[in-house]
Amino acid sequence: MAPFHPRLADLPEEIAVFPLSGALLLPQGRLPLNIFEPRYLAMTLDSLANGRVFGMVQADPRAPRGATGPGLYRTGCLGRLSSFSETDDGRLLITLTGLIRFRIAEELPLAEGGYRRVRADYGAFSRDLLLDGPTPVFDREELLGALRPYFRARGIDANWEAVEQMADATLVTTLSMVCPFDVPEKQALLEAPDGGERARMLVALMRMGAAANAPPPEGRPS
């Protein structure tokens, strides 16, 4: 087991959650966060003192608002605070490293600091903790072939040499997290059963995104 990497039995049953739509954390991915709201500053400091973990979830636009805030998607990802620094103006700059997905079994009352808490069920996602799991099976050339026109249509610059050198699993995880997909699309990527299916979903999303953002054919009105 790698240093700081937990076993399933070590994971807390009750966790703080940070509802942030559009921010996707996946197992073994790294998510930088700029923490400035008082309740999330309290959450981060409490997490540093108690296991250094909290969960990332997205608000579900179809779910009714509850007593503690917007309705949430039922699947999120637990992350470990792997880096932490303070700024002179009172913000916290952190990196969250993804560990394992979870399902929300129950939402708990707000913590004293005002942040949300849930009871997490990790049972369906135990394989997320495997650092040496199977390499995702997908067509890498197809993925890269969809990526270039998607980035071009969205005006995104890339270090293509670095992209080409990424291992398959890292490539799929990184693209899923950084591409500016809509909230439901991000959630679908999170809930994909494995890296291969996530890669195939990426190809479909990037092709649709490239087509939607392509300039109109020459000679036709926009």
Side-chain angles (χ1 to χ4, degrees):
M1 183 65 66
F4 309 116
H5 194 73
R7 300 173 303 170
L8 187 63
D10 298 330
L11 298 176
E13 181 181 355
E14 297 180 4
I15 60 171
V17 291
F18 188 1
L20 187 58
S21 293
L24 176 62
L25 179 66
L26 289 171
Q28 301 184 45
R30 290 178 174 268
L31 179 67
L33 292 169
N34 176 18
I35 308 295
F36 55 89
E37 287 190 49
R39 56 183 165 171
Y40 298 125
L41 289 169
M43 178 195 71
T44 302
L45 294 172
D46 288 350
S47 297
L48 283 168
N50 296 285
R52 295 171 53 197
V53 296
F54 62 82
M56 294 297 300
V57 294
Q58 294 195 111
D60 183 348
R62 302 165 301 178
R65 186 179 182 87
T68 58
L72 303 176
Y73 280 106
R74 306 312 292 174
T75 302
C77 186
L78 185 71
R80 176 176 59 83
L81 279 155
S82 52
S83 73
F84 166 89
S85 63
E86 302 174 350
T87 67
D88 292 339
D89 60 357
R91 293 175 292 119
L92 298 176
L93 304 179
I94 69 171
T95 298
L96 206 61
T97 297
L99 294 173
I100 183 173
R101 291 170 291 174
F102 61 86
R103 290 204 175 100
I104 297 176
E106 175 189 8
E107 183 154 6
L108 303 171
L110 291 175
E112 185 175 342
Y115 55 86
R116 297 172 74 169
R117 299 161 56 245
V118 303
R119 194 179 311 279
D121 179 359
Y122 310 101
F125 305 111
S126 59
R127 293 184 62 82
D128 287 351
L129 288 175
L130 297 176
L131 294 176
D132 56 351
T135 300
V137 178
F138 67 98
D139 187 331
R140 185 183 177 99
E141 291 306 312
E142 181 183 43
L143 179 61
L144 293 175
L147 178 62
R148 290 180 183 275
Y150 174 75
F151 273 14
R152 186 165 54 247
R154 298 301 299 254
I156 300 173
D157 292 327
N159 181 339
W160 291 108
E161 183 178 354
V163 170
E164 293 282 357
Q165 292 175 356
M166 284 185 185
D168 286 352
T170 303
L171 178 65
V172 172
T173 295
T174 301
L175 291 178
S176 297
M177 290 178 57
V178 304
C179 287
F181 299 127
D182 293 337
V183 168
E185 296 168 342
K186 291 271 190 179
Q187 190 65 27
L189 289 167
L190 174 67
E191 296 182 16
D194 55 49
E197 182 59 33
R198 187 171 292 124
R200 288 183 282 276
M201 194 177 297
L202 269 173
V203 170
L205 291 173
M206 289 189 295
R207 284 176 173 167
M208 289 188 294
N213 287 276
E218 187 173 353
R220 295 185 183 179
S222 58

